[in-house]
Amino acid sequence: EALEMFSSLAKLGRSQHNYAEEGHAYDSVGALFESLRMHAKAITYFEHTLLCANHSGVERLALKAYGHLGLSHLMLSREAETAGKDTVGVEELLMAIRMFEHQFTLAQKLGDPSGQAHCCYNLGTCWMESILRRPNRPQSELELEFHRSSSMFERAVDMSEKEIHLSLQHLAVACKRELAKIKLMHGKPDEAVLLLQEYLSLQISVARSFCATCGQACGEDDKMFRC
């Protein structure tokens, strides 16, 4: 029923040459397929969303489409790796990186610090997965990806600490954890331990601001939603 409703909204938007409304409807359809783990199908609709965003000139819609495309390609790459399709997995991972890079550029243009911080976290995650999946490469390539992953997580932390929104504080906590992993992978256990200590300290400081089960924020700037 939800699929039929959103499809009807997309057709209505198209018939009225309202590309923004059509794009929002396609985005909802894509999100529906993504929730069902039908990543390839979701990508098709997110690509339609991006086309509509470009036609309508609604950059916020394009920002959302790039983010959703990045996440869907990332999920598809993980599925391919689990199925033993390593080449496809790497291709999808690189596509995810491209989508997140486009999203980051657009978030910068729109002056969206929250969007930039989340893009950095996703890019850091992608570069870290690239290291884990393809370890038998020249050391110079691996060093470059270690640097890219670390710098993205560090940038996300910097941006998150400048904002007071609780969700970004939660992102900063997650970045510290991922940075500790990167340092350990890179053969720097002392730095990893220090980052892990910072992670635990931050985790404790925000513990009362988030539901421990679902991770949703509560506080003055967020109404708590029970999971």
Side-chain angles (χ1 to χ4, degrees):
E1 290 179 1
L3 179 59
E4 289 178 3
M5 181 184 72
F6 290 130
S7 297
S8 297
L9 288 172
K11 290 176 182 177
L12 180 62
R14 190 184 313 124
S15 67
Q16 297 176 345
H17 301 288
N18 189 334
Y19 296 114
E21 288 301 319
E22 183 183 357
H24 282 297
Y26 280 136
D27 185 69
S28 296
V29 174
L32 180 63
F33 280 116
E34 185 60 39
S35 70
L36 298 172
R37 297 183 179 275
M38 299 172 68
H39 309 302
K41 194 76 171 177
I43 286 169
T44 299
Y45 283 96
F46 291 141
E47 287 174 343
H48 283 310
T49 301
L50 187 57
L51 285 173
C52 291
N54 291 334
H55 275 301
S56 63
V58 180
E59 292 181 320
R60 287 284 173 186
L61 181 59
L63 184 72
K64 184 190 291 187
Y66 279 127
H68 285 163
L69 280 166
L71 290 171
S72 291
H73 279 293
L74 180 57
M75 293 300 106
L76 201 56
S77 76
R78 289 171 178 171
E79 281 193 355
E81 185 192 24
T82 301
K85 301 176 182 178
D86 295 340
T87 302
V88 175
V90 170
E91 289 173 354
E92 290 296 331
L93 181 60
L94 295 176
M95 182 62 75
I97 290 171
R98 284 196 286 273
M99 294 299 104
F100 289 134
E101 287 176 339
H102 283 305
Q103 187 189 27
F104 180 76
T105 300
L106 193 51
Q108 279 186 311
K109 179 183 177 183
L110 295 172
D112 181 354
S114 177
Q116 291 176 61
H118 282 91
C119 284
C120 286
Y121 176 81
N122 288 328
L123 282 167
T125 299
C126 287
W127 286 120
M128 183 166 66
E129 290 198 16
S130 177
I131 296 166
L132 289 168
R133 294 188 198 183
R134 300 184 294 163
N136 300 319
R137 287 180 289 156
Q139 189 61 29
S140 58
E141 287 186 27
L142 294 173
E143 287 292 334
L144 179 59
E145 291 189 3
F146 273 120
H147 172 72
R148 285 172 172 169
S149 184
S150 296
S151 63
M152 286 296 104
F153 286 129
E154 288 166 357
R155 195 166 182 176
V157 170
D158 289 341
M159 291 178 179
S160 299
E161 289 177 343
K162 291 175 183 176
E163 301 294 319
I164 60 173
H165 199 279
L166 285 172
S167 64
L168 286 183
Q169 292 178 33
H170 186 59
L171 184 67
V173 173
C175 287
K176 290 287 185 180
R177 181 191 63 226
E178 299 307 304
L179 276 167
K181 292 179 186 178
I182 281 288
K183 294 299 181 182
L184 189 61
M185 288 164 55
H186 203 187
K188 300 177 180 179
D190 292 340
E191 291 182 40
V193 169
L194 290 174
L195 284 163
L196 189 58
Q197 288 175 333
E198 291 177 19
Y199 158 71
L200 292 171
S201 178
L202 282 170
Q203 183 78 308
I204 291 168
S205 70
V206 300
R208 295 183 183 277
S209 302
F210 292 89
C211 172
T213 302
C214 69
Q216 293 187 91
C218 61
E220 291 183 3
D221 58 346
D222 277 290
K223 180 182 177 182
M224 182 60 186
F225 295 95
R226 298 293 179 185
C227 60

